[in-house]
Amino acid sequence: MNALVSAYACNPQFGGEDGFGFNWAWQTARQGHRVWCLTTPCGRAGIEAFMAQHSPELSPNQMQFIFVTVPAWVEFLQRWQFGVYLHYMVWQYQAWRVARQLSQSVAFDYVHHATYGSLQMGSWLWRLGKPLVFGPVGGAQQAPAAFRRFIPDWFKTETLRNAIGWLLLTFDPNVRQTLRHATLVLATNSETAALARRMGARRVELFLDSGLPDAFFPEIFPVRSPRPVLHLLWLGRLFPRKALFLVLEALSKVDKQVPFHLTIIGDGPLRPLLPAYLARYGLQDRVTWRGGVPWQEVRAAYLSHDVFLFGSLRDSFASQFLEAMATGLPIITLDHQGAHDFIPPTAAVKVPLSTPAATALGLAQAVEYFYQNPTARWAAGRAGFAFATTQTWALRTQRLLSLLQPLLPLPLALAPRSASPPLHASPQPVRA
């Protein structure tokens, strides 16, 4: 089978969208199919280094990367935020032109728009007239306005984002045409799935955007012995929507008899505000901020802590959740968006979003519960670990192809290859 993959972000040396884009293309080829991948030159060095090592695992010419460029003036404007959107839109147009020419000599069985995973930006590739897989995509999730005090610069990060999203959905016909023509839309949360259906998508499936290489998992399930102090881990970029300050308020409400220590890993624009918030909540001696650290230290942190505590107010999902579950960590988080849809209830304490005070208290009570119940921590870690083993890139690609098979004009012969090679290039320690 011939597959055309559009992966604007594509680089095996990174996590996030770059890792998603590369893995969709690579794993499709690993299933035995021929893959042409459209991407930007940004990831070229990482792609070529990886393929130099791993291309012997594929048949000759089984996987080809086509690096699509944009005009120099578009590259120049990318240094500003509006230029980032412009760059992506122009690149999509250029990629469609390349794909249109390529399709004159290659009979593609289907097209997969893999990255960016944004419903509001659509895809130009529906114009090829081929079966189109769109996603996984998010974009319909929003931060609840009642929690705006935990998101500094709310107007810039949330109000403007929501306004731009509304404008694109309302006035860009390409978005609605993408959804109407897509053979299969993969949505990373229920909010996005519902919006896609309202806009005319015919077949929508909930589908994680995150995945793991087989080599990520420990050889045996990590058993954590109870300790006098409960060690909590928060990992992510210090962006407003990640709501670290909600977590800090919650920890200030934990029973003083419960000994805990929080490690924060990650860096970002909220870093200058962190010391003042720690002082406000009286947590200076109970929190350690380590900043951005190498991936090896991130992995060690997963294994050396007792609970993963993360409560983003706006996220399609968070790949940190999957990584935490793969290392046997129980989770405390918010019961909404991708976390609500995908994290097994037995693997986490998921706190409802009601009022800020009630939600903060609920997070505090979850910390107390896991401290007082080490057996519950072990059981939650086991449940999460079992779920994570179903989300390797090889298995996720097999599932996508299984969903797609009955929707294609001709039967799709699935190759039996199930194992994926270890991805030696490590992902970035902190995700968007």
Side-chain angles (χ1 to χ4, degrees):
M1 184 183 70
N2 296 330
L4 177 65
V5 177
S6 175
Y8 175 82
C10 182
N11 192 332
Q13 293 183 335
F14 298 106
E17 294 264 12
D18 290 280
F20 299 165
F22 180 82
N23 273 291
W24 280 122
W26 172 252
Q27 291 296 339
T28 301
R30 287 288 298 171
Q31 297 299 317
H33 306 298
R34 293 190 66 194
V35 176
W36 286 256
C37 180
L38 305 173
T39 187
T40 71
C42 296
R44 186 167 197 153
I47 291 169
E48 291 180 346
F50 182 93
M51 295 305 294
Q53 182 177 2
H54 293 285
S55 59
E57 299 165 16
L58 304 176
S59 301
N61 298 319
Q62 188 176 346
M63 188 171 187
Q64 301 178 43
F65 287 90
I66 302 166
F67 300 97
V68 179
T69 61
V70 299
W73 65 270
V74 177
E75 291 284 358
F76 176 80
L77 293 176
Q78 195 179 14
R79 65 189 63 192
W80 293 285
Q81 185 61 41
F82 80 92
V84 173
Y85 291 104
L86 178 66
H87 189 282
Y88 180 53
M89 296 175 73
V90 172
W91 182 88
Q92 280 211 58
Y93 171 73
Q94 296 287 83
W96 166 69
R97 293 181 62 191
V98 172
R100 184 179 58 179
Q101 182 176 3
L102 187 60
S103 65
Q104 294 177 4
S105 58
V106 179
F108 291 112
D109 295 281
Y110 80 98
V111 178
H112 182 188
H113 175 103
T115 61
Y116 281 151
S118 170
L119 182 144
Q120 286 91 336
M121 300 298 288
S123 173
W124 272 69
L125 295 182
W126 63 266
R127 293 170 171 84
L128 293 177
K130 302 290 184 179
L132 171 65
V133 177
F134 183 52
V137 295
Q141 67 281 354
Q142 296 185 6
F147 289 75
R148 62 188 304 161
R149 68 183 176 89
F150 296 112
I151 300 184
D153 204 3
W154 172 273
F155 178 80
K156 179 180 178 181
T157 64
E158 303 305 314
T159 304
L160 285 181
R161 171 199 175 265
N162 294 341
I164 292 171
W166 179 84
L167 288 171
L168 289 170
L169 292 174
T170 304
F171 296 106
D172 183 1
N174 184 61
V175 179
R176 197 173 295 271
Q177 293 287 1
T178 298
L179 294 169
R180 289 177 174 174
H181 285 85
T183 303
L184 178 63
V185 176
L186 305 177
T188 60
N189 51 64
S190 295
E191 294 89 341
T192 302
L195 178 58
R197 292 187 183 102
R198 290 198 303 270
M199 296 187 67
R202 294 172 291 167
R203 176 71 182 270
V204 181
E205 295 282 344
L206 281 175
F207 208 102
L208 270 179
D209 55 4
S210 308
L212 294 169
D214 294 334
F216 184 89
F217 294 86
E219 293 185 4
I220 59 174
F221 178 77
V223 177
R224 295 168 171 83
S225 301
R227 296 179 286 182
V229 176
L230 185 69
H231 291 266
L232 308 169
L233 176 64
W234 189 99
L235 188 151
R237 293 180 182 173
L238 301 186
F239 288 164
R241 64 185 174 87
K242 301 294 183 180
L244 174 59
F245 299 149
L246 171 60
V247 166
L248 297 182
E249 178 160 319
L251 292 179
S252 73
K253 298 178 181 294
V254 173
D255 188 325
K256 302 305 179 185
Q257 302 303 312
V258 173
F260 69 84
H261 193 88
L262 174 70
T263 300
I264 300 171
I265 294 180
D267 207 344
L270 294 187
R271 175 180 57 179
L273 302 179
L274 188 54
Y277 273 84
L278 293 177
R280 175 187 301 182
Y281 294 120
L283 296 171
Q284 300 96 318
D285 298 329
R286 288 189 150 194
V287 175
T288 298
W289 173 63
R290 294 176 55 188
V293 301
W295 172 244
Q296 292 79 2
E297 293 183 34
V298 171
R299 183 177 175 82
Y302 280 127
L303 293 168
S304 64
H305 285 74
D306 302 308
V307 177
F308 185 66
L309 172 59
F310 190 79
S312 181
L313 287 170
R314 174 171 58 82
D315 250 323
S316 290
F317 187 66
S319 55
Q320 300 98 307
F321 287 136
L322 203 55
E323 293 168 354
M325 287 188 280
T327 54
L329 272 180
I331 292 171
I332 298 173
T333 189
L334 303 176
D335 191 19
H336 75 151
Q337 299 170 3
H340 168 82
D341 292 321
F342 292 106
I343 298 177
T346 52
V349 174
K350 294 191 276 189
V351 177
L353 273 86
S354 50
T355 66
T359 300
L361 180 60
L363 292 170
Q365 291 171 339
V367 172
E368 296 166 5
Y369 171 76
F370 272 144
Y371 172 75
Q372 295 160 359
N373 295 275
T375 302
R377 297 202 306 265
W378 179 87
R382 273 287 187 186
F385 185 82
F387 173 75
T389 60
T390 69
Q391 299 301 314
T392 64
W393 278 109
L395 292 176
R396 285 162 47 73
T397 306
Q398 288 178 12
R399 183 185 171 222
L400 183 152
L401 294 172
S402 296
L403 289 171
L404 183 61
Q405 180 179 11
L407 305 178
L408 294 179
L410 297 174
L412 170 63
L414 295 181
R417 304 178 70 166
S418 60
S420 63
L423 194 61
H424 297 292
S426 301
Q428 288 292 298
V430 179
R431 309 308 195 276

